[in-house]
């Protein structure tokens, strides 16, 4: 792993770059972190994805708030006042508009790397990042070939900027995994998302895992090791079909 700094309209965004061993070029994946910030548990996901043959860019979406030391998610989740402060300091400045502006620069960075396969990339996101992944597919339809969202929040809302409203612009294949115990992605939201993607003829699979919101990352209080491995069993084949083998039969095999 090496660290880089990407200049944006709002400052300088630190980012981790993970390049597989051996000779490329490698398919690229932009990874969006969850709402707890960059920390070892997130970097472990990027490393494992890299080990599966992907060139991964992991930007710190909280750079607008200045340097910080990540708080243990278990401590953060247990303290309402800490959560409020975290939302105000870190999450509030990372608006959809701001992150999508950054995303254009992240995609440009990936496209300029000599070890990266030419053509569209993949985007993977967790929690807050799962929403940004879906937004990226609709905002940069020519640059994104496959997106995967795990326990993403805010995928469907009444707001004009709700990600599901971008479905007509999406050309990527879409995989969304929600949790069975998650007020951020209810059955009604799932139904609305599936209808929007189907109406727009987007190749998609939207599943519900028997877990709680935030189950993938190992430092979260709701981490579920079995379902975290389930996430890898869906993510890698999905990306392999969309980025390594071309538009394959993964979506047809899993359905929606």
């Amino acid at each position: 792993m090496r660290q880089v700094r990407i200049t944006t309209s709002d400052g300088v965004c630190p980012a981790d770059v993970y390049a597989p061993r051996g000779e490329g070029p490698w398919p690229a994946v932009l990874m969006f972190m969850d709402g707890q910030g960059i920390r070892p548990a997130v970097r472990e996901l990027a490393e494992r994805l890299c080990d599966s043959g992907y060139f991964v860019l992991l930007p710190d979406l909280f750079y607008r708030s200045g340097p910080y030391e990540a708080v243990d998610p278990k401590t953060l989740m247990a303290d309402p006042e800490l959560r409020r402060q975290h939302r105000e300091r870190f999450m509030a400045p990372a608006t959809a508009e701001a992150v999508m502006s950054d995303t254009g620069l992240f995609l440009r960075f990936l496209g300029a790397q000599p070890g990266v396969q030419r053509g569209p990339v993949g985007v993977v996101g967790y929690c807050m990042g799962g929403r940004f992944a879906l937004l990226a597919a609709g905002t940069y339809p020519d640059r994104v070939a496959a997106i995967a969202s795990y326990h993403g929040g805010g995928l469907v809302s009444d707001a004009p900027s709700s990600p599901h409203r971008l479905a007509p612009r999406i050309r990527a294949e879409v995989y969304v995994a929600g949790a069975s115990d998650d007020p951020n992605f209810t059955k009604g939201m799932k139904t609305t998302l599936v209808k929007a993607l189907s109406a727009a003829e987007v190749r998609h699979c939207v599943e519900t895992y028997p877990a709680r919101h935030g189950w993938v990352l190992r430092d979260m209080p709701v981490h579920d090791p079995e379902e975290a491995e389930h996430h890898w069993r869906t993510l890698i084949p999905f990306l392999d079909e969309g980025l390594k083998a071309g538009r394959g039969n993964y979506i047809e095999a899993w359905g929606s």
Side-chain angles (χ1 to χ4, degrees):
M1 185 268 284
R2 65 185 173 95
Q3 294 185 316
V4 298
R5 294 169 65 82
I6 300 174
T7 301
T8 75
S9 59
D10 291 330
V12 178
C13 176
D16 296 348
V17 175
Y18 300 79
R21 296 176 182 176
E23 296 184 8
W26 306 99
V29 172
L30 171 60
M31 179 177 285
F32 286 134
M33 67 197 201
D34 67 351
Q36 315 306 313
I38 297 294
R39 59 196 191 282
V42 180
R43 289 188 165 113
E44 289 168 9
L45 298 179
E47 289 172 356
R48 184 162 172 179
L49 187 55
C50 175
D51 289 342
S52 296
Y54 290 93
F55 188 107
V56 182
L57 178 66
L58 174 62
D60 187 346
L61 303 181
F62 290 161
Y63 73 91
R64 291 175 175 84
S65 302
Y68 65 94
E69 297 216 359
V71 178
D72 178 3
K74 295 182 177 67
T75 301
L76 188 62
M77 293 295 107
D79 189 325
E81 178 58 21
L82 274 181
R83 290 204 307 275
R84 183 192 65 79
Q85 294 175 12
H86 180 82
R87 285 195 299 270
E88 291 180 358
R89 179 183 172 189
F90 296 108
M91 299 182 72
T95 64
E97 182 180 8
V99 174
M100 287 305 100
S101 174
D102 294 344
T103 298
L105 300 171
F106 300 152
L107 294 174
R108 184 184 303 173
F109 173 88
L110 285 170
Q113 302 309 298
V116 167
Q117 174 180 293
R118 300 303 97 186
V121 308
V123 183
V124 178
Y126 301 87
C127 187
M128 170 187 78
R131 174 167 57 96
F132 292 146
L134 194 57
L135 285 170
T139 305
Y140 299 97
D142 295 331
R143 294 289 294 116
V144 178
I147 76 102
S149 168
Y150 290 90
H151 47 79
L155 304 184
V156 174
S157 74
D158 293 332
S161 58
S162 177
H164 81 284
R165 301 186 193 281
L166 289 178
R169 288 179 47 83
I170 294 176
R171 299 180 185 176
E173 297 191 353
V174 171
Y175 179 83
V176 173
S180 57
D181 182 3
D182 190 352
N184 298 290
F185 192 61
T186 63
K187 290 182 179 179
M189 293 175 185
K190 176 181 178 180
T191 298
T192 299
L193 178 61
V194 169
K195 286 182 177 179
L197 294 172
S198 298
E201 299 184 348
V202 175
R203 290 159 56 93
H204 67 277
C205 174
V206 182
E207 294 191 290
T208 301
Y209 287 34
R212 297 175 64 188
H213 177 78
W215 80 84
V216 175
L217 287 104
R218 54 106 178 148
D219 62 353
M220 292 291 288
V222 296
H223 174 62
D224 186 319
E226 182 176 344
E227 291 307 314
E229 285 303 310
H230 180 188
H231 133 270
W232 286 113
R233 292 195 303 272
T234 53
L235 177 60
I236 300 304
F238 171 70
L239 292 176
D240 285 350
E241 287 287 351
L243 300 178
K244 291 183 178 179
R247 295 172 69 85
N249 60 6
Y250 183 87
I251 293 297
E252 282 82 354
W254 284 84
S256 61

